Amino acid sequence: MRQASWFAPHPPYALKGEGCWIIDVDGRRILDCANNFFSLVHGHAFPPVIEALRSAMERGTAFGLPTESEIELAELLAARSPFLQQTRFCNSGTEAVMHAIKGARALTGRHRIAKFEGCYHGAYDYIEVGLESSPDNWDGPDGSLASTPYAKGTPPSVLTDTVVLPYDDAVRCEAILRTCGSSLAAVVLDPHASRAGMMPMPPEVIAAVQAACRRDGIMLIADEVICFRLSYAGASPLYGIEPDFVTLAKVIGGGLPVGAVSGSPERMSVFDHSRGKPAVAMGGTFSANPMSMAAGLATLRHYDRSAVARLNGLGDKLRERVNEAFAANQSPARLVGTGSLFRLHLGGREITGYRSSYPTTAEATALHQIHGALLASGILLTPNCSGALTTPMTDKEIAFLADTLTSAALKTSGWG
Ligand SMILES: Cc1ncc(COP(=O)(O)O)c(C=O)c1O
């Protein structure tokens, strides 16, 4: 079982999915707000995806040759954003981020990277640094943030070669980048990181990073693995970022394994193998496999401007209804997020990033209880009480989710 899909005392086992609902092996219907960690923007068994998969499967599931479907998906992405002009596919967000970092290293001739404290970008050693920084170890010397290891056995060189930046402190971020900018190959940035509270990165921090990247020739990697869904063109245009590389995964694979690195032809030439050995080889037995491409194409074709706007509107309605109820009950709890992405915070303090969203022990216990209470009422969130909406949802599901979530939070001791 994947670590991420286990929670105490034990998760239910899924039997099948129907739109925004999961039916578990005991026959219970569960409103799915985790949708495989935000990867199924149309929910389960979306008919256009099933049809596309059936037809792709009948033609063959994997070839040692390219297929037209990868060109179609790359062209569809390019038509949506100027930052997605060329795309190469892989099988996961982890791989996408790793390849983008390797591309940045080859382009700059440097090897260090910077990333933001607490933010998750997959399982590549370097990008795991600072993932679980906690109040007792998160500050380093001289105003720096500690480069804390995540996995036991992380080589010490990985820690020295990874600089950790504050998500919501532009002054400190700019000072750190001034000190080390000329040694960096890349800054990896998710402008709406779930682990930083599911709050947008403050524009001043984005501006500080963008300025340092231009000044010191650092490659800016925008990780849109989750936040691509926030707008038709993805997150970079939404948050005023001009990235060198964009990493994608999740929704662009329509429920099948996928990852992608996108960028301008100039930047993407680092992976170009057409004139001999590329600077960085971006291989993978199942990369750009026709099943993931077909599911991704069917998904994105139906995630058009109006579908994006409708889904984001449902998210606004959800937050409004929940927060009005919290306010009416003098509860400090708040539902935050943007568009179809949301997360529950209990403490009443202002949430601006990783540190302010770091739950106290009491909050973590209560969030665990709320997650369990919601599941008992037929709603699945991720274990830290964040979630994502899907297009099969209507006002009815939003009302059910809002009211059940509010009452579970209010009933949990100490937060009502
Ligand atoms: C922002 C971000 N980047 C990268 C990843 C890694 O993607 P994958 O799980 O497909 O390897 C994730 C996974 O949740 C993610 O949230």
Side-chain angles (χ1 to χ4, degrees):
M1 186 192 294
R2 290 177 292 174
Q3 177 192 328
S5 52
W6 189 88
F7 44 83
H10 61 81
Y13 274 70
L15 179 67
K16 61 176 181 167
E18 287 173 3
C20 54
W21 296 90
I22 295 173
I23 291 87
D24 76 5
V25 288
D26 297 320
R28 285 178 356 121
R29 284 172 69 79
I30 301 167
L31 182 67
D32 187 8
C33 300
N35 42 84
N36 194 33
F37 300 95
F38 315 155
S39 62
L40 297 158
V41 78
H42 298 302
H44 301 278
F46 182 53
V49 168
I50 293 181
E51 192 41 51
L53 282 176
R54 188 171 289 132
S55 127
M57 190 163 55
E58 281 166 4
R59 290 195 300 272
T61 58
F63 304 96
L65 291 172
T67 65
E68 285 177 342
S69 61
E70 66 200 79
I71 299 173
E72 283 178 78
L73 186 53
E75 284 179 346
L76 188 151
L77 291 166
R80 288 168 91 118
S81 162
F83 304 120
L84 307 176
Q85 284 174 58
Q86 278 192 4
T87 297
R88 279 179 187 261
F89 295 100
C90 50
N91 294 302
S92 68
T94 293
E95 283 174 68
V97 170
M98 178 187 74
H99 287 307
I101 290 172
K102 288 169 81 172
R105 287 180 179 142
L107 286 169
T108 58
R110 307 169 186 166
H111 60 273
R112 299 183 85 206
I113 64 155
K115 55 134 338 184
F116 284 83
E117 187 179 41
C119 294
Y120 184 68
H121 303 276
Y124 183 38
D125 287 13
Y126 296 84
I127 211 67
E128 283 186 335
V129 173
L131 185 57
E132 264 195 347
S133 292
S134 62
D136 48 338
N137 70 3
W138 60 28
D139 282 315
D142 305 324
S144 67
L145 275 67
S147 291
T148 51
Y150 180 59
K152 280 211 169 81
T154 300
S157 61
V158 167
L159 304 180
T160 352
D161 287 338
T162 307
V163 174
V164 179
L165 299 171
Y167 192 86
D168 51 0
D169 186 339
V171 174
R172 199 168 174 190
C173 187
E174 128 83 14
I176 296 170
L177 288 171
R178 251 188 209 284
T179 318
C180 66
S182 58
S183 70
L184 295 177
V187 176
V188 181
L189 172 164
D190 173 351
H192 193 273
S194 60
R195 306 249 322 199
M198 199 70 101
M199 291 297 287
M201 181 174 277
E204 310 76 50
V205 177
I206 291 178
V209 171
Q210 191 83 64
C213 288
R214 290 199 181 116
R215 183 191 63 221
D216 291 328
I218 310 164
M219 298 291 117
L220 180 48
I221 300 173
D223 183 357
E224 301 194 20
V225 163
I226 289 184
C227 59
F228 175 79
R229 60 155 61 213
L230 290 179
S231 102
Y232 178 76
S236 288
L238 187 65
Y239 292 111
I241 302 168
E242 292 181 12
D244 295 284
F245 291 111
V246 177
T247 52
L248 300 166
K250 306 224 186 220
V251 300
I252 70 149
L256 271 75
V258 83
V261 181
S262 291
S264 65
E266 192 208 332
R267 295 292 185 247
M268 293 299 288
S269 67
V270 76
F271 304 112
D272 185 3
H273 47 73
S274 64
R275 273 164 269 150
K277 184 175 180 294
V280 175
M282 193 175 157
T285 303
F286 288 99
S287 292
N289 75 79
M291 300 294 283
S292 298
M293 300 297 102
L297 273 166
T299 293
L300 290 186
R301 282 184 183 134
H302 287 83
Y303 198 52
D304 56 12
R305 287 180 197 281
S306 72
V308 176
R310 180 183 161 274
L311 196 61
N312 286 346
L314 285 184
D316 291 337
K317 279 189 195 171
L318 172 71
R319 280 179 290 274
E320 199 180 313
R321 189 164 170 140
V322 169
N323 289 327
E324 272 174 11
F326 284 150
N329 286 278
Q330 282 92 43
S331 166
R334 259 179 60 68
L335 194 70
V336 306
T338 305
S340 56
L341 299 169
F342 63 89
R343 180 168 163 184
L344 177 67
H345 293 286
L346 297 176
R349 59 191 172 277
E350 194 191 354
I351 302 295
T352 54
Y354 179 67
R355 293 192 177 191
S356 49
S357 65
Y358 195 89
T360 62
T361 310
E363 288 165 13
T365 307
L367 285 167
H368 176 68
Q369 287 167 356
I370 293 167
H371 177 260
L374 284 170
L375 192 57
S377 307
I379 294 175
L380 179 67
L381 301 186
T382 68
N384 72 358
C385 287
S386 57
L389 306 179
T390 55
T391 58
M393 292 181 182
T394 64
D395 286 346
K396 195 169 147 213
E397 282 82 23
I398 297 303
F400 170 57
L401 170 60
D403 297 349
T404 316
L405 196 156
T406 315
S407 94
L410 292 176
K411 274 189 208 145
T412 302
S413 62
W415 305 102

